[in-house]
Amino acid sequence: MAAAERRAFAHKINSLDFPCIEWIYWPHSQSSQGPAGQAFLFPGPPSCPRRTVAAEVRKQVSRERSGSPHSSRRCSSSLGVPLTEVIEPLDFEDVLQSRPPDAEPGPLRDLVEFPADDLELLLQSRECRTTEPAVPEDGKLDAQVRAAVEMYAEDWIIAHRRYQHLSMAYSPITTETQRERQKGLTRQVFEQGASGDDRSGPEDSDDPRHSSGSLDDTPRSSGASGIFDLRNLAADSLLPSLLERAAPEDVDRRNEALRRQHRARALLTLYPAPDEDEAVERCSRPEPPREHFGRRILVKCLSLKFEIEIEPIFGILALYDVREKKKISENFYFDLNSDSMKGLLRAHSTHPAISTLARSAIFSVTYPSPDIFLVIKLEKVLQQGDISECCEPYMVMKEVDTAKNKEKLEKLRLAAEQFCTRLGRYRMPFAWTAVHLANIVSSAGQPDRDSDSEGERRPAWTERRRRGPQDRMSCGDDACSFSGFRPATLTVTNFFKQEAERLSDEDLFKFLADMRRPSSLLRRLRPVTAQLKIDISPAPENPHFCLSPELLHVKPYPDPRGRPTKEILEFPAREVYAPHTSYRNLLYVYPHCLNFSSRQGSVRNLAVRVQYMASEDPGQALPVIFGKSSCSEFTREAFTPVVYHNKSPEFYEEFKLRLPACVTENHHLLFTFYHVSCQPRPGAALETPVGFTWIPLLQHGRLRTGPFCLPVSVDQPPPSYSVLTPDVALPGMRWVDGHKGVFSVELTAVSSVHPQDPHLDKFFTLVHVLEEGAFPLRLKDTVLSEGTVEQELRASLAALRLASPEPLVAFSHHVLDKLAHLVTRPPVIGGQIVNLGRGAFEAMAHVVSLVHRSLEAAQDTRGHCPLLAAYVYYAFRLPGTEPSFPGGAPPVTVQPATLARGPGRPASLYLARSKSISSSNPDLAVVPGSVDDEVSRILASKGIDRSHSWVNSAYAPGGSKAVLRRAPPYCGADPRQAIDRSASRTSSYLEGASSAPPATQPRPTVQKLLHEELALQWVVSGSAVREAVLQHAWFFFQLMVKSMALHLLLGQRLHTPRKLRFPGRFLDDITALVGSVGLEVITRVHKDTELAERLNASLAFFLGDLLSLADRGFVFSLVRAHYKQVATRLQSAPNQAALLLLRVDFTRILCSHEHYVTLNLPCCPMSPPASPSPSVSSTTSQSSTFSSQAPDPKVTSMFELSGPFRQQHFLAGLLLTELALALEPEAEGASLLHKKAVSAVHSLLCGHDADPRYAEASVKARVAELYLPLLSLARDTLPRLHDFAEGPGQRSRLASMLDSDTEGEGDVGSTINPSVAMAIAGGPLAPGSRTSISQGPVTASRSGCPLSAESSRTLLVCVLWVLKNAEPALLQRWAADLALPQLGRLLDMLYLCLAAFEYKGKKAFERINSLTFKKSLDMKARLEEAILGTIGARQEMVRRSRERSPFGNQENVRWRKSVTHWKQTSDRVDKTKDEMEHEALVDGNLATEASLVVLDTLEIIVQPPQSLTAGFLTPRQ
């Protein structure tokens, strides 16, 4: 039965003038009429001794009345503290200490304190794609390589909050989760749905006479549907035992039991999910850093067949981007020759490695483009004759003419066999062709037109996110989405012969550009006929038998004997910003051209041999050159193809080398130039060396890469040549062309060890030199000693901002680790501690800015860079600590630095003069020359008093709580032991093994705590650095939180009292920092709104994180100080609404903490107001409705935003205070404030419903106590809520209440309005009072901005949630103390709840869907008009602002996102029939549950106080 029908039926029964009313819930099992779950109202037995009869109400009507409902909510009723001021919270830790957790019974015990396992240390294995780790095989590693290998091998260390997933920030309630939780709902049957909708057809869908909005147009009793056809109306079944006498207690007990049957456990599951646009607290854990991949394409080479088969042919595949004019992949070599052809090279081949037998390859494309070609090059064994002569037989002879050309073929085979035997190790260019990949993807490879699976063409979001931050930037043309096309098998039939003078990549790009033209010159050439079959398809997610570019087995690799597929390394067309995650150290050598035109002698068939030499010894060539196809896996030498009779050849060859982990200054590439004799001659050698040149690979500690133009020596190099470059004219050596550069070659490194950036190289070199203590050091043209290295290191830190973005991002983990190491472990140079904290902090700020700028397109909605977020969450660890097990202490033995000299402290440190080691601890004395000199000067220049700045008076030195935080816990014991056993005030330690002899001791270092140094450096930083830090404050906040968490976990300090976990100086710095950032938020909100929003959110998240780590009372004091800052600025702010919106967001983020309920001290008894100042309720205690006793101040304070409530339930008080201020009639920017504040409360309540910790009814009742003031707020805001029963004669109760409020204002002795009195007494409403609110005069209480329909409905559903879950006895005591006007407004609010959630019927959803669809089409047409210029944008905005929704005035409707007066579960306008059926099902359940909650509440109101106090009613499920 719909709510309207129940009300009409109740009015009919009320007209019988029963002395009292019984509310009876009658199920379907006891009645033959009506569905299961219907609620009926029946008159009770004539004798109701314990009921309040109408006469009692009439006697009290003449008593005193209270004032207006809006009698200044801005003033707190109990302590006299206005709502605009934040009351000082209770000391959280002291309250918990005075109330142990076991004081609460059963499940309530978990609400007292955070769980003991709330914070834990997780060691997550780093994902390794290969079956064996990618680590170098060399035993001896230098410091830089060793640090890189250790970083790539160590596990992720995570400071994990075990229950954080229960927070609304990480487990948000979305439309999808709501729909999942709505499964299994019972279908509610309504007369309107069963009969009324069936009679209405499409022709009357827009007829207002058939709408369900009016109650008085058609009665809604059991016979309402057939009122015009009474003859055919079936009789209702008799109600058994209706007139039998029954004890009132039995009736009440039975009614309560029946009402509780088949109830929805979670009310808000039936309501649309919170608006995602308002979910400022939404965040997710970053994805672990992974190796970057683009769109992956699998290419399989199936067969290669020519018209004639006379010799082996070898293939090369590579990708080229014509637009960027760049080769974008390494070469893939394949061999499709038959066994007979391979046998011709038996004399020159060894047993081939299985990795060189691959015939399929996986290419990666980060930037898809319509200009990418798959280039196929063919080579053959070197033979006498130029390329044209060698291609002629393949272009002339056909397979069908085999018999006719038998003799020629035999002659060719014989010659080929001879050449293979003699010249089998040399190759020559043969032919080439190209495949335009855009044609494969967009035409032949596109899925069928009838395929409706969009997922086949576009990768899933999780897949795109897994590939890395390039996905947002790498989405090329839609026609070139290389990730989801249909596999295609191609047969390439035409090859173009290679031209000896046009072999370079520049010529190839010209050919490829020409291929795209319709009149291509290549089409006119006679092709080399062949058939190459290849398969091109998207690569599978986890292919089997796959080899990495380093030839490591990629998981899964079922059988090592299977033919592998090779992953081809990508050379992206543009920059790729991704960090290195595994060890990779590859070098590519590209010979370009050689000019021997001036070289005397027979030097025509030129081949270049490449060797990687470890020294000058010819036998020291390292086997690091990757093999090609059908050969060994690694070789010691490799040759370029030979161009016949060409003294100035061009090359297209690519040599791939595996760089040794430790490259020394003797390592070099040796190039030997040979003249190859193609025709055998007596006494003539096969190959004659005609020149030599080399490239030293290491220069001043840097790997040499890039283009080189080298001179070539005719003579062999002299001894010790490797340390010099060929540019040095060595005496006694002859050079080709007078020592000019005649050989062009390019080196490219793909290395996760060598940055290949001068600024990064210098920084890493200096840091590792300091770690190793290897002095002197030659750096370019200067020699560094201990006296000059400090200046160079400071200059290097300042120059990091000049580093190239791509290598900086790639090595960002290394750079940030080293900077953190410099901050926490200042180097000791010459026995003196060098404080580099300020320079390292500034460098860190600039590095973070550069990384942010490079990855701007990949940032999330809150402006966070996923790369940096992943670094903090996974990779960052405290410098110098290595967790041996979760929660264990670091294996390094540390001891606090004191004045006493121990055997582990060398005298060269001069620590007696450097008494203060930490720049975060000014309590220690500072003498000239100590580490704190610089910091002291900064503090003095800033004028900061660290002991008193921004500190709450209670926490200031000498305050009531300062002793608890500052005093050492053990005063009479050894100072060293005292500091070890508690949270030490110092943040510096001196490492060293005291028992080891001095000769074997490690280099001593000073260790600080990163979070303390970051806080200090941030507070004292200059304007330029401060601005850079503020732009990305979230990163430094999260870094501090991770450092604090690891400090507690690794130091086993979790069991230390929270007030002793961190030293007071650090908390002072935090206080100053929070105040400084809060001030920046306030001052920038009008100049840079986006930055202010980011800072506001970052600060709120930081304080929320501190609640899990530090003294919670201290954190609450920081929150209060921030609120006071905002309140002070509000008085003079030009735009108060902007600040208020930020404060609401700040509160919402704070309240999203996973232990939000515990933080509100729900289990501690609330003390009554200490001040005798009267409240609104206490002044009207004489007029309590059903009680002559004075109201209980304890209960009253629980239902108001009183001082005790806001003091004990601090966060809940902040949230409800924001809501109360937003609901003030004079609030500025009210409509948006309404939405934000109401949405914040709604989101929290949704989280409580979904939280398994609060599933118990008793626990949820305790949670509901945190929101009891919401009832008073909604009751007082009732005049400005949306009128859901709007229409003639619909808003009688609210209108009458308003009339009574305005007419009787100030008249304490006047009587209550008859309508309200009759409503309380159960009598019929006076017909004359039925006036619409819209027609009445605008009174003072109704002034201000009304709430939108959406906000009103959401606020009402929150009220229903509180009524459903709160303790009934508590609600009854509160209702008993209400004055008559307040009780009337409460009944009006319940009436409005029924109207707001009244079931509309399935036809209403269909009409809404039709109207929405029409509006959508109309909006689309108008948008097209605006784009085409036929209508101005301004006129369009004005027109839309004047439009009205068919369901009432709608505010802030952006492009008609929803035209209904409540938000539907989907924004789509063309909903399917199943979706509308589901919405009708959910709406029916919501209407039923809302009606039952109202019935429960009415039962509570009319119950005598004794029955509920004695436990007559229990909390509802």
Side-chain angles (χ1 to χ4, degrees), residues 580 874 1483:
H580 292 307
Y874 295 100
D1483 192 63

Side-chain angles (χ1 to χ4, degrees), residues 308-312 341 344 393-394 409 412-414 416-417 420:
I308 57 176
E309 186 180 15
I310 58 176
E311 60 185 332
M341 291 296 102
L344 298 177
Y394 294 94
L409 289 174
L412 290 173
R413 288 193 182 98
L414 181 60
E417 184 176 354
C420 287

Side-chain angles (χ1 to χ4, degrees), residues 21-324:
I21 299 298
E22 290 283 19
W23 309 87
I24 301 178
Y25 183 88
W26 203 277
H28 182 59
S29 60
Q30 299 182 10
S31 175
S32 60
Q33 298 290 332
Q38 280 187 258
F40 295 90
L41 304 180
F42 297 103
S47 60
C48 300
R50 296 192 308 107
R51 296 290 181 170
T52 302
V53 296
E56 295 180 26
V57 177
R58 297 187 184 99
K59 290 179 182 179
Q60 298 189 34
V61 164
S62 60
R63 294 188 179 181
E64 294 177 316
R65 299 181 51 205
S66 62
S68 173
H70 290 288
S71 55
S72 187
R73 277 202 307 261
R74 289 179 176 265
C75 182
S76 180
S77 58
S78 299
L79 294 182
V81 181
L83 292 183
T84 53
E85 295 184 12
V86 184
I87 197 167
E88 184 174 353
L90 299 176
D91 190 301
F92 194 94
E93 311 303 333
D94 288 349
V95 172
L96 290 188
Q97 189 174 5
S98 63
R99 187 175 180 84
D102 54 4
E104 291 296 333
L108 294 178
R109 191 172 302 166
D110 296 334
L111 299 182
V112 177
E113 173 60 298
F114 290 8
D117 58 349
D118 184 49
L119 190 64
E120 60 182 354
L121 186 68
L122 297 182
L123 295 180
Q124 179 177 324
S125 298
R126 183 187 291 258
E127 179 182 352
C128 183
R129 297 182 60 247
T130 57
T131 58
E132 58 273 13
V135 294
E137 299 175 356
D138 309 67
K140 184 180 179 181
L141 304 176
D142 62 15
Q144 183 171 343
V145 178
R146 185 171 60 252
V149 172
E150 290 175 356
M151 171 176 287
Y152 299 139
E154 60 192 10
D155 295 332
W156 305 126
I157 179 169
I158 303 172
H160 181 240
R161 283 153 61 178
R162 184 186 289 267
Y163 302 91
Q164 195 173 37
H165 68 281
L166 299 175
S167 165
M168 284 295 293
Y170 290 90
S171 297
I173 304 299
T174 61
T175 302
E176 290 74 18
T177 59
Q178 287 285 71
R179 188 175 291 271
E180 185 68 25
R181 296 172 63 198
Q182 289 166 359
K183 290 182 178 179
L185 289 178
T186 304
R187 182 170 296 279
Q188 305 293 331
V189 181
F190 296 83
E191 289 187 4
Q192 185 183 31
S195 58
D197 286 348
D198 295 337
R199 295 194 311 272
S200 60
E203 66 275 5
D204 59 3
S205 60
D206 296 329
D207 191 348
R209 293 175 299 175
H210 293 274
S211 65
S212 59
S214 174
L215 288 177
D216 292 339
D217 292 343
T218 303
R220 294 296 182 184
S221 66
S222 60
S225 60
I227 194 169
F228 300 111
D229 191 11
L230 297 178
R231 297 178 183 275
N232 299 325
L233 186 63
D236 291 342
S237 61
L238 296 178
L239 300 176
S241 306
L242 176 62
L243 300 180
E244 294 182 2
R245 284 188 175 273
E249 294 82 358
D250 297 337
V251 176
D252 292 339
R253 195 176 293 110
R254 184 171 67 252
N255 288 345
E256 181 194 4
L258 293 175
R259 284 197 308 272
R260 292 173 60 179
Q261 292 180 0
H262 311 295
R263 293 287 292 272
R265 293 185 61 86
L267 171 66
L268 295 179
T269 303
L270 308 175
Y271 193 75
D275 189 359
E276 295 187 14
D277 295 338
E278 304 296 334
V280 293
E281 78 281 3
R282 186 79 56 85
C283 54
S284 60
R285 292 184 179 87
E287 290 289 328
R290 291 188 176 95
E291 184 178 353
H292 165 75
F293 291 106
R295 275 61 170 173
R296 285 158 57 94
I297 304 172
L298 175 61
V299 179
K300 295 181 180 179
C301 302
L302 304 179
S303 64
L304 176 61
K305 184 179 180 181
F306 288 86
E307 294 288 343
I308 57 176
E309 186 180 15
I310 58 176
E311 60 185 332
I313 303 295
F314 307 95
I316 307 172
L317 291 180
L319 292 180
Y320 290 79
D321 191 329
V322 178
R323 179 188 300 174
E324 300 293 335

Side-chain angles (χ1 to χ4, degrees), residues 1302-1377:
T1302 54
E1303 292 171 4
E1305 189 74 30
D1307 186 6
V1308 180
S1310 63
T1311 60
I1312 193 170
N1313 184 276
S1315 299
V1316 178
M1318 294 304 296
I1320 300 173
L1325 299 177
S1329 65
R1330 294 177 176 270
T1331 56
S1332 174
I1333 186 174
S1334 59
Q1335 301 170 357
V1338 179
T1339 63
S1341 61
R1342 282 179 281 165
S1343 62
C1345 178
L1347 273 73
S1348 66
E1350 180 184 343
S1351 297
S1352 300
R1353 200 167 191 261
T1354 305
L1355 181 61
L1356 290 176
V1357 81
C1358 295
V1359 168
L1360 290 178
W1361 187 92
V1362 177
L1363 293 174
K1364 174 181 172 66
N1365 296 291
E1367 182 71 32
L1370 197 59
L1371 290 176
Q1372 199 281 334
R1373 293 177 62 186
W1374 170 66
D1377 292 340

Side-chain angles (χ1 to χ4, degrees), residues 1085-1307:
V1085 66
H1086 309 298
K1087 297 180 287 186
D1088 191 348
T1089 306
E1090 183 179 356
L1091 177 60
E1093 291 176 352
R1094 294 204 310 267
L1095 279 176
N1096 184 66
S1098 301
L1099 182 60
F1101 278 114
F1102 175 63
L1103 293 177
D1105 292 335
L1106 289 183
L1107 289 172
S1108 296
L1109 302 173
D1111 177 5
R1112 287 159 288 195
F1114 167 71
V1115 180
F1116 284 165
S1117 71
L1118 297 180
V1119 174
R1120 179 171 181 259
H1122 176 71
Y1123 269 74
K1124 293 177 68 175
Q1125 272 187 312
V1126 176
T1128 303
R1129 185 56 183 259
L1130 274 174
Q1131 302 173 2
S1132 59
N1135 184 9
Q1136 295 184 4
L1139 272 178
L1140 291 175
L1141 292 175
L1142 287 182
R1143 195 170 66 179
V1144 173
D1145 289 342
F1146 183 91
T1147 309
R1148 177 165 179 164
I1149 293 173
L1150 269 181
C1151 294
S1152 67
H1153 195 278
E1154 65 268 26
H1155 300 303
Y1156 160 80
V1157 174
T1158 300
L1159 289 169
N1160 283 290
L1161 297 172
C1163 296
C1164 298
M1166 184 182 296
S1167 58
S1171 171
S1173 58
S1175 66
V1176 175
S1177 297
S1178 62
T1179 56
T1180 61
S1181 60
Q1182 304 92 327
S1183 62
S1184 297
T1185 309
F1186 302 127
S1187 176
S1188 59
Q1189 299 177 359
D1192 187 352
K1194 180 179 178 181
V1195 176
T1196 302
S1197 63
M1198 295 175 67
F1199 285 83
E1200 294 180 355
L1201 286 175
S1202 60
F1205 182 93
R1206 294 159 59 197
Q1207 188 175 39
Q1208 177 170 323
H1209 309 313
F1210 183 64
L1211 293 181
L1214 289 180
L1215 180 67
L1216 295 179
T1217 299
E1218 291 295 339
L1219 177 62
L1221 295 177
L1223 295 178
E1224 285 288 340
E1226 64 272 14
E1228 186 177 347
S1231 71
L1232 190 54
L1233 270 176
H1234 293 164
K1235 184 177 180 182
K1236 274 188 172 293
V1238 173
S1239 176
V1241 177
H1242 176 219
S1243 175
L1244 268 179
L1245 298 184
C1246 287
H1248 299 332
D1249 262 354
D1251 198 323
R1253 297 174 295 179
Y1254 313 136
E1256 292 278 347
S1258 59
V1259 177
K1260 189 166 286 188
R1262 194 62 62 94
V1263 175
E1265 290 182 12
L1266 303 177
Y1267 302 95
L1268 293 178
L1270 186 62
L1271 303 179
S1272 301
L1273 293 179
R1275 180 197 64 199
D1276 294 345
T1277 315
L1278 192 62
R1280 292 186 293 111
L1281 296 182
H1282 182 79
D1283 190 1
F1284 295 99
E1286 194 171 8
Q1290 292 299 311
R1291 193 62 180 272
S1292 57
R1293 292 176 180 247
L1294 183 56
S1296 62
M1297 183 270 291
L1298 290 175
D1299 293 340
S1300 66
D1301 282 344
T1302 54
E1303 292 171 4
E1305 189 74 30
D1307 186 6

